[in-house]
Amino acid sequence: MAKDSIKLIANNKKAYHDYFIEDTYEAGISLHGTEVKSLRMGKCSVKEAFIRIDRGEVFVYGMHISPYEKGNIFNRDPLRVKKLLMHRAEINKITGKIAEKGYTLVPLKVYFKGSLVKVQVGLARGKKLYDKRADIAKKDMRREAEKDFKVKNLY
């Protein structure tokens, strides 16, 4: 297996619906043994997760990693707070942007890069209701156009 091969574990589609993603960063994550085994089986959810910076350290809250079935006393709490590993300069840059109005950090993807678990972190700005409606309308128009295109090509 190549060093840079990427295997997606979890994707946060809700984040793309609720936020404008301005910038993305790659972060490592501090895990315990049975959590990694559970991730290898694809048991992870980042739907309700959010990220906070506390005293210069980045933590992800609400990221659910199901307990490993074959694990015993070594299993950890599925919703425990997990530390993200990022460079100090990146953390300082993000902290400066979050201090601006309306920015937040959300986890977008959890994936294996080689043998390491990585989290793609998005610097996001919240969407208003009318922005979401415009996105849905755009998606519907594109879907209709694709359907028309298929119908025309069948005849």
Side-chain angles (χ1 to χ4, degrees):
M1 200 158 114
K3 177 91 170 126
D4 290 334
S5 66
I6 291 176
K7 181 185 172 230
L8 188 67
I9 301 166
N11 197 0
N12 192 354
K13 290 180 184 175
K14 189 177 176 212
Y16 290 100
H17 178 47
D18 291 343
Y19 300 100
F20 292 112
I21 307 301
E22 304 280 326
D23 206 357
T24 59
Y25 301 92
E26 186 178 71
I29 185 166
S30 179
L31 297 171
H32 294 279
T34 54
E35 290 176 325
V36 177
K37 289 179 180 182
S38 189
L39 285 175
R40 288 207 183 280
M41 296 171 72
K43 309 275 191 201
C44 179
S45 171
V46 288
K47 234 179 206 128
E48 302 297 321
F50 61 96
I51 297 172
R52 284 208 179 124
I53 298 177
D54 185 32
R55 286 188 238 121
E57 293 182 322
V58 187
F59 296 97
V60 62
Y61 296 81
M63 182 175 153
H64 188 278
I65 298 177
S66 299
Y68 183 56
E69 288 107 39
K70 295 179 181 73
N72 43 28
I73 58 166
F74 299 111
N75 277 338
R76 299 291 176 144
D77 176 31
L79 286 171
R80 77 177 182 84
V81 178
K82 295 155 193 76
K83 184 177 178 182
L84 294 181
L85 310 169
M86 297 177 83
H87 291 285
R88 172 74 47 218
E90 281 181 329
I91 295 171
N92 292 341
K93 184 178 172 186
I94 292 170
T95 306
K97 287 192 177 179
I98 286 180
E100 292 177 33
K101 189 173 172 246
Y103 281 106
T104 186
L105 282 176
V106 289
L108 301 175
K109 293 178 187 170
V110 180
Y111 55 93
F112 279 105
K113 189 173 185 182
S115 62
L116 303 174
V117 180
K118 299 287 184 178
V119 178
Q120 186 178 39
V121 176
L123 184 68
R125 195 166 35 90
K127 282 186 182 177
K128 303 279 189 263
L129 185 61
Y130 57 83
D131 291 329
K132 292 179 190 175
R133 286 185 184 144
D135 280 355
I136 291 169
K138 221 181 282 180
K139 206 179 288 179
D140 286 344
M141 283 172 37
R142 191 178 71 237
R143 203 174 292 131
E144 288 293 324
E146 285 174 2
K147 194 190 313 181
D148 290 343
F149 185 71
K150 282 182 185 174
V151 169
K152 286 178 185 174
N153 283 347
L154 287 176
Y155 298 112

